[in-house]
Amino acid sequence: MRPQHSSGDILADRRYLYAEGCLADGDFSGAADLAEQALSLAPGYAAAWLLLGRAREGLFGLDGDPAHRDGARAAYAAARAADPADALGAGMHLARLGCGADPAALSPAYLRTLFDGYAPRFEAHLVDGLHYVGPALLRTALPAEPAHFAAALDLGCGTGLMGAAIRDRVGHLGGVDLSPEMLARARAKAVYDRLVTAELGAFLAGEPAASADLCLAADVFIYVADLAPVLREIARVLRPEGLAAFTVQSPDADAPGAVVGAASGAILGADGRYAHPDAHLAAAAAGAGLAILTCAAADVRRERGRPVPGRVAVLRRGHGAPHAEIVAPHAGIQT
């Protein structure tokens, strides 16, 4: 059992494991009952509170009883209180259920835990399982000129897929990620000149102004609720005429989600990722003083056999460049 999933009480842990099995089998009632038994032995057991919330949410999905939805909210709130750093991600579930417009629903501790555990199978699952093509899309979307960028930053570099894809067009390449396990795999690729373990916003805030010619973020902003602050920092870090290239996930009318933050309009989906409306992307770019050169529809990956709608965007620091129209879905990349 992972350390954050242990209560320190062997009987409570055993009931938790049984509850996990019931949840995996779709026995939400049994999972809820066993989680409650575990909590009677260990009231501060954050993982059991989270599991109880998931079980009650499952029951709500079956019968629509508001009491089950309210019970899920209460359990997630208890999990969040027992895990102040929110490494288990209770804030994400609370946001999905409409409990406050929390723009930090995906906490750094949760993302670090998630990707540290995901690192050993990350590339195989992402590339082979989800048909992920983000780095290739970004490389293709970049203009032919300049042909070479003296200094580039790979934001949320993960295991280094983007770095490997862009290495031949870059002089000095830096990468940042909050997962040490992901960075260990990026380091093994030997394509980066500098790798930093840090949260994205904090990293950018510490970078010198006008120090980069290119900032890349492949499938990273799906974990950022509001693009405005991060684009402002990217604009500060870019040199005049420097470029920012990134992917975003677009809202899917057929997928359930919760709007997180009236100002941003970002939608936190059941997949634990943010989708950003085109209007938010355009407003965030304009607020940062970044001109949109390209913003085109693209399927960055697939899930459950269906393409996930998204955009590939290339922005340039400075004023005076015309803003490209955001093209209709499935129109392909335009430069």
Side-chain angles (χ1 to χ4, degrees):
M1 180 177 288
R2 287 173 287 177
Q4 70 268 25
H5 285 189
S6 175
S7 68
D9 182 309
I10 189 171
L11 293 179
D13 286 355
R14 187 172 297 163
R15 282 164 174 76
Y16 172 83
L17 289 173
Y18 292 153
E20 274 195 327
C22 287
L23 190 68
D25 291 338
D27 180 3
F28 302 123
S29 180
D33 181 60
L34 285 162
E36 288 168 349
Q37 291 181 39
L39 288 164
S40 71
L41 296 169
Y45 194 176
W49 280 116
L50 187 78
L51 193 151
L52 178 59
R54 293 174 62 200
R56 288 174 172 170
E57 192 176 351
L59 289 169
F60 174 66
L62 290 176
D63 60 23
D65 185 347
H68 287 141
R69 179 197 58 209
D70 295 343
R73 289 171 171 167
Y76 290 140
R80 183 84 180 259
D83 174 27
D86 198 24
L88 296 177
M92 172 184 68
H93 297 287
L94 285 168
R96 285 194 303 99
L97 293 180
C99 294
D102 183 357
L106 303 183
S107 71
Y110 167 68
L111 293 173
R112 185 180 301 111
T113 300
L114 176 69
F115 284 103
D116 276 349
Y118 189 20
R121 60 188 181 91
F122 175 79
E123 289 194 16
H125 180 241
L126 198 63
V127 176
D128 299 331
L130 302 182
H131 305 285
Y132 172 66
V133 291
L137 288 173
L138 286 180
R139 181 183 173 95
T140 301
L142 286 173
E145 294 295 333
H148 190 266
F149 299 90
L153 294 174
D154 184 2
L155 307 175
C157 65
T159 60
L161 292 172
M162 186 71 246
I166 201 68
R167 176 69 264 189
D168 64 325
R169 290 191 65 180
V170 172
H172 186 279
L173 179 60
V176 59
D177 202 280
L178 50 68
S179 167
E181 292 297 325
M182 299 287 271
L183 283 176
R185 286 159 175 79
R187 189 169 291 109
K189 286 185 170 62
V191 298
Y192 293 92
D193 300 290
R194 178 174 66 125
L195 287 169
V196 179
T197 306
E199 184 272 331
L200 178 58
F203 170 79
L204 285 170
E207 288 295 285
S211 58
D213 302 287
L214 174 66
C215 287
L216 299 157
D219 226 24
V220 174
F221 291 163
I222 56 175
Y223 302 108
V224 177
D226 188 354
L227 298 180
V230 70
L231 289 187
R232 285 196 298 269
E233 283 299 317
I234 285 175
R236 185 188 64 80
V237 168
L238 284 174
R239 296 184 177 119
E241 304 303 313
L243 300 180
F246 54 86
T247 59
V248 294
Q249 188 164 313
S250 299
D252 185 344
D254 297 326
V259 176
V260 181
S264 73
I267 298 171
L268 180 60
D271 58 1
R273 300 183 178 101
Y274 290 107
H276 297 94
D278 291 342
H280 172 60
L281 172 56
L290 295 169
I292 300 176
L293 302 183
T294 298
C295 189
D299 300 330
V300 179
R301 64 184 183 282
R302 300 178 67 86
E303 290 185 2
R304 297 184 178 89
R306 297 176 62 243
V308 176
R311 302 288 191 193
V312 175
V314 179
L315 281 59
R316 184 172 65 199
R317 179 188 166 182
H319 299 282
H323 284 246
E325 290 187 3
I326 297 180
V327 299
H330 310 299
I333 294 175
Q334 298 180 0
T335 58

